[in-house]
Amino acid sequence: MARQTVCRIGLSLLIVGSMTACGAIGKLGRPATERPAYYNNANNPANIETDPDNTVWSIFRAKTADNKVSVNRYLWSASLEVLNFLPVQTVDPYTGVIVTGYGKPPGGGRAYRATVLIDDPALDARSLNVALQTRGGRSVSKATSRAVEDAILSRARELRISDNKL
């Protein structure tokens, strides 16, 4: 009998303690708070509950054909031409990412892997980011990476000059 009483008191203290920790005891008897206005605003496009265009099926309903590629085409072509000794694994012209596998350059002994990011439509050095790795996962020297970037930029300028002659 004493054991049951101790268990009941312990269980009651545990329940009261957990309700106090959650703040439930202080809220008993108070009215619930109203939802903020931005939850109920149908004109707020960020509100997933009320925006009819924000559904799973809205992906398949393209209202406009604004699928524009926002990378520089000369940098894109030059990157693929300069790094043509590397096997291409993934390309995405909409985000400007080219990922290659490991390959050896002509006359070279080391295998390299490259990831190219072209993040601006301008023909500019700031638009081009090249990351090179060796087979062991180590990054290459800055001089090697800069030489590859310079080769891509030079080829892109050559493509642009030849394109203007037409």
Side-chain angles (χ1 to χ4, degrees):
M1 182 82 166
R3 187 176 191 167
Q4 285 182 342
T5 306
V6 171
C7 287
R8 286 183 185 166
I9 292 173
L11 185 61
S12 299
L13 288 175
L14 182 66
I15 291 172
V16 169
S18 63
M19 289 180 68
T20 304
C22 295
I25 289 182
K27 294 180 182 177
L28 292 177
R30 280 197 240 157
T33 57
E34 299 248 345
R35 291 181 87 183
Y38 58 85
Y39 282 121
N40 300 325
N41 187 358
N43 295 325
N44 186 0
N47 190 348
I48 197 166
E49 296 174 0
T50 59
D51 188 10
D53 293 331
N54 197 7
T55 65
V56 173
W57 305 112
S58 64
I59 298 169
F60 302 109
R61 283 180 288 170
K63 291 184 179 177
T64 61
D66 277 345
N67 295 337
K68 294 181 181 177
V69 177
S70 62
V71 297
N72 188 291
R73 67 180 176 153
Y74 301 114
L75 285 174
W76 183 264
S77 298
S79 298
L80 291 173
E81 286 182 22
V82 169
L83 299 173
N84 66 354
F85 62 92
L86 299 174
V88 176
Q89 287 182 340
T90 310
V91 292
D92 187 4
Y94 294 102
T95 59
V97 176
I98 301 171
V99 179
T100 67
Y102 289 102
K104 292 183 182 179
R110 272 185 164 171
Y112 295 103
R113 174 183 178 186
T115 303
V116 179
L117 172 64
I118 304 167
D119 58 357
D120 196 356
L123 179 56
D124 194 357
R126 292 174 289 190
S127 302
L128 179 67
N129 297 311
V130 178
L132 294 172
Q133 290 180 338
T134 61
R135 183 144 329 247
R138 287 178 251 138
S139 60
V140 299
S141 67
K142 295 230 184 230
T144 304
S145 184
R146 184 163 303 211
V148 171
E149 286 180 359
D150 289 343
I152 292 172
L153 288 168
S154 297
R155 182 62 185 147
R157 289 183 190 108
E158 290 173 3
L159 288 172
R160 182 169 180 248
I161 290 170
S162 67
D163 201 23
N164 285 340
K165 288 183 181 177
L166 297 176

